Amino acid sequence: MPVGQPSRPRSIALAFLLAALAAPALGASAPPASAPSAATNAPFTDAQLEEARLLRERSLVDDTGYETLRSLTREVGPRFAGSPGDARAVAWALARLRALGLKNVHAEPVTVPHWIRGPCSVELTSPWPQPLAAVALGGSVATPEAGLEAEVVPVTNLDELARIDSSRIAGRIVFYTGRMQRGEDGSGYGRAVTVRARGAAEAAKRGAIGVVIRSIGTDRNRLPHTGGMRPEAGDRQIPALAISNPDADLLEDQLASGAVVRLRMSNTSSWADSARSANVIGEIPGRERPREVVVLGAHLDSWDLGQGAHDDGAGVAIMSAAAKLIGEARLKPRRTVRVVLFANEEFGLSGARTYARDHAAEAASHVMGMESDLGAYAPLGLHARVPADRLAAIRAMQTLLAPLGVQYRGDDASGDADVGQLEALGVPVCDLDTDASEYFDWHHTANDTFDKVDPEMVRRNVACYAVLAWLAADYGPGFGRAPNGH
C-alpha cells in the first residue's frame, strides 16, 4: 500500500471476502432476473441487485486487473503515440482481451501524430552556474543546434503574463513559476496546467525565445513532468521545457537574489510523419440486446518517460478485468459491455475522436459510457449525466458501491477526456472520482511505474466498474439521452 494510504479499505475487503465465502457458489443456478423487488417501483429487482452484489464480492478477491497491469508494464512499457511501444501495446491489447475471454476483439485504425523526443538540457549560467533537471514538453520544437541562452523573466501564470509589457519579454526566456496544489479532487491540476498548454504560445506572441515551466505535479522529486501543449493555428512555436519542482525552487531562489539570472536551454526533439495506431475493442455480448452497448473506456497510450502504470495502464487493466468478471457472472447482462482502449489520449484524443466519428450513427445504441483515467486509488464518488427520471437508477447503483466508500455526488458527469467525446453525442455517462492526492506525484514522469500501484486499490476500482457496468447494461428502460447532448 502506498505511503499515506488509509488502512480502512483492507478491513472492508476482508469483510467482503468473508461474505463472498458465505454466498452461494458461482456454479449455483442464478435467480430469475424478473424476481420482484421489495421496493415499489424500484429501478432494479432484488435478483439484479443480488447479482451485482455477488459480482462486487468476487471482484474484491480477484487480481486479474493487477496481473493485467503487471503484464502491460513489463511486456510493453511506455506507449507513446506513433512509437514502437504504441504498436506493441496494440498487439498486446488484442491478445490480452482475447485471453480474458472477451468476444469480437478487434482493432479500429486511428491516425496519430508522431513527435520524437530528443535529448534536452537546461542550465543556469549566472549568477551561480549549475544544471537543472529538465524534460521537453510534448510537441516542443528544437532549439538551434548550439542551444539558446538568455535572461530569465519570472511569470506566475497566463493572467500575469497578459499584464506585463511585451518589451520585458522580448528576447528572453519566460519562466512560469505557478505551483500545483495537492488535493483529493485533483482540481489543482486544472488550474495549473494552462501554462503547459498555452504558455509557450502566449509568451511567443510577446517576443520570448523560449519557455521553462515549473512541473505540473505535486511531488518533491527531482524528476520533471512532461505533457502536451495545445497549439492553435498561427502560433509561433518556441522551445518549451519543464523543470522539476526542486529545480524550480532553486531558480526562484536565484531570482529572489536580485541578480540577473540567465539560462541556457537546448532541445533536439522533432516531428515525423503521422503514424498508424488503433483503438482496441472487445466485448461481453448481451443476452437479449447485444447491439446496445455500455462502454468501458481507458486510453492505451502513455507518455514515454515511465511505464504509464497509473496513467493509464491502471485504467486499461481495471476496465479489462471488470469486463472479464462480468463475462464470468452467473447471469450475463441484457446488453453488451464493450471495452474500448483508446489510442493517443495524451497527445490529442485521436482515438476518442475517431471512435466518436466512426460510431456516430450508432450513438443511440450506446446506453452508457464510463472511463477510468485517474489511476488506481480509492474510489470516492459517483457522478452521472442522465435524464432526471433515470437518476433513481443511478442512486440505486451507488448503493452497491457505498460499502466501498463511494458517495453519490451529482448529475454533472463529463465522461472525462475520451468517453466525453460520446457525451457530446448525447450518450449518458458516469464518472467515478478517486482520491487524487498522490496521483500527480507520478503523473507524466519517469516515476509512473508498476511499484506505485496498490493491488487492493485495483480490486476496489474493478469492483466499482463491474457493478456499474453490469447494472447499466441490465437496466430495462435504458438511460435515454444525456441532458444537453448534441
Side-chain angles (χ1 to χ4, degrees):
M1 178 177 291
V3 175
Q5 192 70 48
S7 59
R8 177 175 172 271
R10 291 199 182 278
S11 61
I12 292 175
L14 178 59
F16 285 154
L17 172 59
L18 296 174
L21 293 174
L26 290 174
S29 60
S34 59
S37 172
T40 305
N41 298 323
F44 296 101
T45 67
D46 288 342
Q48 287 174 306
L49 295 175
E50 177 64 7
E51 194 67 40
R53 185 191 71 81
L54 291 174
L55 184 57
R56 179 192 69 191
E57 308 295 328
R58 187 158 177 234
S59 299
L60 289 167
V61 295
D62 184 278
D63 272 333
T64 297
Y66 189 68
E67 293 307 318
T68 296
L69 180 57
R70 185 198 303 275
S71 171
L72 177 59
T73 55
R74 179 175 59 191
E75 298 168 31
V76 178
R79 310 169 294 282
F80 190 53
S83 71
D86 184 18
R88 287 196 303 272
V90 170
W92 173 91
L94 290 167
R96 192 71 181 187
L97 293 185
R98 292 184 181 115
L100 293 176
L102 277 67
K103 308 301 182 184
N104 306 324
V105 176
H106 65 283
E108 297 183 355
V110 177
T111 300
V112 300
H114 188 193
W115 177 78
I116 302 171
R117 184 183 302 282
C120 76
S121 64
V122 175
E123 180 184 2
L124 268 164
T125 58
S126 67
W128 297 286
Q130 53 189 296
L132 308 181
V135 66
L137 297 180
S140 174
V141 295
T143 61
E145 186 174 350
L148 57 86
E149 181 176 341
E151 182 181 346
V152 176
V153 177
V155 176
T156 305
N157 52 36
L158 295 180
D159 289 339
E160 183 178 332
L161 178 74
R163 296 192 297 267
I164 295 176
D165 190 310
S166 294
S167 63
R168 290 185 53 202
I169 304 297
R172 294 174 172 85
I173 295 172
V174 169
F175 168 43
Y176 288 100
T177 65
R179 188 185 303 267
M180 180 183 166
Q181 298 300 310
R182 186 184 300 275
E184 181 181 274
D185 64 357
S187 60
Y189 181 71
R191 292 189 294 270
V193 77
T194 55
V195 300
R196 192 190 77 204
R198 294 293 302 161
E202 296 304 320
K205 290 178 183 178
R206 292 159 176 82
I209 62 171
V211 158
V212 169
I213 73 168
R214 174 187 285 275
S215 278
I216 311 301
T218 51
D219 63 295
R220 303 302 305 153
N221 297 309
R222 207 167 177 220
L223 290 172
H225 297 237
T226 191
M229 298 188 289
R230 295 291 179 267
E232 297 174 357
D235 283 347
R236 184 171 72 88
Q237 296 189 32
I238 57 176
L241 283 68
I243 57 175
S244 73
N245 278 308
D247 286 294
D249 290 344
L250 170 65
L251 184 51
E252 285 196 64
D253 185 60
Q254 295 218 11
L255 287 160
S257 72
V260 173
V261 176
R262 294 179 65 83
L263 283 180
R264 179 182 296 121
M265 57 189 297
S266 173
N267 180 42
T268 59
S269 301
S270 61
W271 284 94
D273 291 339
S274 297
R276 297 290 275 176
S277 185
N279 294 328
V280 178
I281 295 172
E283 298 177 336
I284 301 299
R287 70 177 192 274
E288 292 179 5
R289 306 179 196 172
R291 294 190 178 183
E292 298 179 15
V293 299
V294 170
V295 168
L296 293 180
H299 68 85
L300 185 56
D301 65 309
S302 76
W303 282 100
D304 52 329
L305 302 181
Q307 296 173 337
H310 275 295
D311 185 23
D312 187 27
V316 169
I318 288 163
M319 294 314 208
S320 301
K324 180 251 192 188
L325 289 164
I326 289 170
E328 294 175 348
R330 302 184 308 172
L331 183 67
K332 303 293 189 299
R334 284 185 171 91
R335 301 177 181 85
T336 292
V337 174
R338 175 180 292 173
V339 174
V340 183
L341 305 181
F342 293 99
N344 189 40
E345 183 269 352
E346 296 291 6
F347 213 44
L349 299 173
S350 306
R353 289 173 172 155
T354 299
Y355 183 92
R357 181 197 68 206
D358 292 350
H359 293 266
E362 309 157 31
S365 68
H366 284 61
V367 175
M368 175 69 72
M370 309 172 213
E371 178 173 335
S372 175
D373 187 18
L374 198 59
Y377 290 101
L380 299 176
L382 180 67
H383 304 253
R385 185 173 293 277
V386 300
D389 63 352
R390 311 300 164 92
L391 283 173
I394 299 296
R395 297 300 295 266
M397 291 158 67
Q398 178 268 329
T399 63
L400 271 292
L401 306 186
L404 295 172
V406 177
Q407 302 173 337
Y408 175 71
R409 290 186 168 177
D411 58 353
D412 57 347
S414 69
D416 293 321
D418 286 320
V419 171
Q421 306 302 304
L422 298 178
E423 191 272 334
L425 298 176
V427 177
V429 294
C430 283
D431 297 345
L432 184 68
D433 292 342
T434 57
D435 184 348
S437 300
E438 295 182 3
Y439 178 71
F440 293 99
D441 287 352
W442 326 121
H443 181 253
H444 294 184
T445 74
N447 246 344
D448 187 7
T449 50
F450 180 68
D451 62 297
K452 310 302 188 307
V453 179
D454 182 345
E456 183 176 328
M457 293 299 109
V458 176
R459 291 192 292 269
R460 291 178 67 189
N461 278 270
V462 170
C464 288
Y465 284 109
V467 166
L468 291 171
W470 193 95
L471 287 172
D474 207 58
Y475 180 49
F479 292 93
R481 297 290 84 193
N484 302 320
H486 301 294

